[in-house]
């Protein structure tokens, strides 16, 4: 599918008219942000309903509802999204979650996953989210109204808080039942005040903001739903990753590969 890069300037928690373009120093500031892997869940297995975290001492993902790990034991069988296993969700109350937030959202962070919806239809479906008490700090989802992938940021932990939405402008979600889905990655670079949304390793949209509303998520990472709005995901999820800090473009491209990279 064709992808393009579209630049969009938005302001988080600022007065209208204060949005500004990225300055020439953003790359060097981003490079100074330390990067620490907090979680890598390859979703190859889940003994006892627990999907282990490759990161030493990292939080595992607990499967809920009818969520299950598919593992391809037959070379002629249905291929998993990456390697031999992936997470299957039926959209009817299934999800996986950590017991606490691996990244809080009050500083730089990177979240990524590969996802393939069973159908890009009239239901908005959330792939990853970081919940607070009344709003999602951030959610990556398929938006039924536009037929696009998008990132939603709540500026406050309030039910009616203003939201910033960054929409992927070029590619439609891959819902081919035999396809490999789409790799989705969000980078929030706090020093540069920038949110970046990558689809299939390419920068799909850039939101640049004077962000004074970086509140901390209080709930665990949700895979396959929004703990606030529901929006259960029907389809397949694989290769979930969480980092404190900023992953650069090269690293995002590596994450989007169709081979698991446990050392990344």
């Amino acid at each position: 599918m064709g992808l393009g890069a579209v630049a969009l300037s938005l302001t988080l928690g600022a007065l209208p008219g204060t949005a500004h373009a990225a300055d020439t120093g953003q790359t060097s500031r981003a490079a100074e942000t330390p990067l620490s892997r907090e979680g890598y869940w390859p979703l190859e297995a889940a003994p006892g309903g627990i999907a282990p975290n490759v990161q030493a001492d990292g939080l595992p993902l607990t499967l809920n509802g009818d969520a299950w790990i598919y593992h391809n034991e037959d070379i002629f069988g249905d291929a998993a999204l990456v390697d031999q296993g992936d997470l299957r969700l039926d959209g009817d109350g299934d999800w996986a979650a950590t017991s606490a937030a691996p990244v809080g959202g009050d500083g730089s962070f990177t979240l990524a996953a590969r996802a393939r919806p069973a159908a890009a239809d009239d239901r908005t479906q959330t792939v990853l989210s970081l919940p607070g008490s009344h709003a999602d700090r951030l959610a990556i989802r398929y938006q039924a109204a536009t037929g696009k992938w998008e990132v939603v940021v709540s500026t406050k932990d309030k039910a009616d808080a203003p939201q910033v939405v960054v929409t992927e402008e070029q590619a439609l979600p891959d819902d081919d039942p035999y396809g490999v889905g789409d790799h989705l990655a969000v980078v929030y670079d706090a020093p540069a005040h920038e949110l970046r949304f990558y689809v299939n390793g390419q920068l799909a949209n850039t939101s640049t903001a004077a962000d004074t509303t970086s509140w901390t998520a209080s709930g665990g990472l949700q895979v396959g739903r929004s703990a606030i709005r529901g929006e259960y995901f029907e389809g397949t999820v694989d290769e979930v990753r969480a980092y404190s800090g900023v992953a650069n473009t090269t690293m995002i491209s590596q994450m989007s590969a169709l081979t698991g990279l446990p050392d990344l």
Side-chain angles (χ1 to χ4, degrees), residues 135-168:
D136 284 321
R137 174 71 184 85
L138 175 139
I140 305 173
R141 67 188 188 183
Y142 164 71
Q143 173 55 258
T146 62
K148 301 287 187 179
W149 294 117
E150 70 179 18
V151 178
V152 182
V153 175
S154 296
T155 57
K156 297 179 180 179
D157 191 9
K158 295 183 177 181
D160 58 351
Q163 293 182 328
V164 171
V165 179
V166 183
T167 301
E168 201 289 299

Side-chain angles (χ1 to χ4, degrees), residues 23-35 108 187-194 196 198 245-249:
D23 61 74
T24 57
Q26 100 180 26
T27 302
S28 61
R29 287 201 304 275
E32 294 170 0
T33 304
L35 186 69
S108 297
V187 175
Y188 177 61
D189 183 346
H193 305 297
E194 186 168 271
R196 305 176 195 133
Y198 295 81
V246 174
N248 62 29
T249 302

Side-chain angles (χ1 to χ4, degrees), residues 177-199:
Y178 302 104
V180 296
D182 295 305
H183 187 266
L184 311 170
V186 175
V187 175
Y188 177 61
D189 183 346
H193 305 297
E194 186 168 271
L195 184 77
R196 305 176 195 133
F197 182 28
Y198 295 81
V199 177

Side-chain angles (χ1 to χ4, degrees), residues 25-144:
Q26 100 180 26
T27 302
S28 61
R29 287 201 304 275
E32 294 170 0
T33 304
L35 186 69
S36 173
R37 189 173 74 181
E38 307 299 338
Y40 169 40
W41 301 271
L43 298 171
E44 293 292 300
I50 305 295
N53 190 338
V54 171
Q55 182 63 33
D57 300 322
L59 298 167
L61 280 167
T62 299
L63 275 55
N64 295 273
D66 296 325
W68 63 289
I69 298 294
Y70 167 79
H71 198 270
N72 183 13
E73 305 289 351
D74 183 351
I75 61 172
F76 299 106
D78 180 22
L81 290 186
V82 178
D83 293 340
Q84 298 301 307
D86 54 34
L87 176 66
R88 302 291 170 103
L89 304 165
D90 67 11
D92 186 21
D94 301 345
W95 78 99
T98 58
S99 59
V103 293
D106 53 339
S108 297
F109 66 88
T110 301
L111 290 176
R114 181 169 288 277
R116 182 182 66 200
D121 53 22
D122 60 353
R123 293 189 309 112
T124 295
Q125 304 176 51
T126 294
V127 176
L128 296 180
S129 65
L130 281 173
S133 298
H134 306 287
D136 284 321
R137 174 71 184 85
L138 175 139
I140 305 173
R141 67 188 188 183
Y142 164 71
Q143 173 55 258

